[in-house]
Amino acid sequence: MDRIWYVMIHTKIKKQKEEDISMSSIFSVIMMILLAVVGGFPTIAITVCIPVIIIWKIYRKLKYGYSLYR
């Protein structure tokens, strides 16, 4: 009789652990995606904006004679 209870409880605990692992892995994937988006947008913005601003300043210097620091 004790053996049957042990098997039933052990099986229930094992199923619960499998559900916990799948929930934690889903949460981890969601967090990784969120962090990639949060870190990716500023990186792309800086990578694109700095060269564009430098080119724009050189264009204004050549066409209108403005200072590069203005």
Side-chain angles (χ1 to χ4, degrees):
M1 188 67 160
D2 289 334
R3 176 76 177 148
I4 294 172
W5 283 105
Y6 174 78
V7 170
M8 289 173 58
I9 291 172
H10 185 68
T11 305
K12 185 175 182 180
I13 291 172
K14 187 175 180 181
K15 286 181 182 177
Q16 183 66 34
K17 286 182 181 179
E18 288 173 358
E19 290 174 4
D20 291 343
I21 290 171
S22 66
M23 287 301 290
S24 66
S25 65
I26 290 171
F27 179 73
S28 296
V29 169
I30 291 171
M31 285 302 293
M32 287 190 317
I33 291 170
L34 179 65
L35 292 174
V37 169
V38 168
F41 283 143
T43 302
I44 292 170
I46 290 170
T47 303
V48 170
C49 288
I50 290 177
V52 168
I53 290 173
I54 292 171
I55 292 169
W56 176 60
K57 287 188 171 284
I58 292 171
Y59 169 76
R60 289 186 342 149
K61 172 70 174 173
L62 295 175
K63 184 163 184 175
Y64 302 112
Y66 291 154
S67 170
L68 291 176
Y69 302 107
R70 188 172 172 196

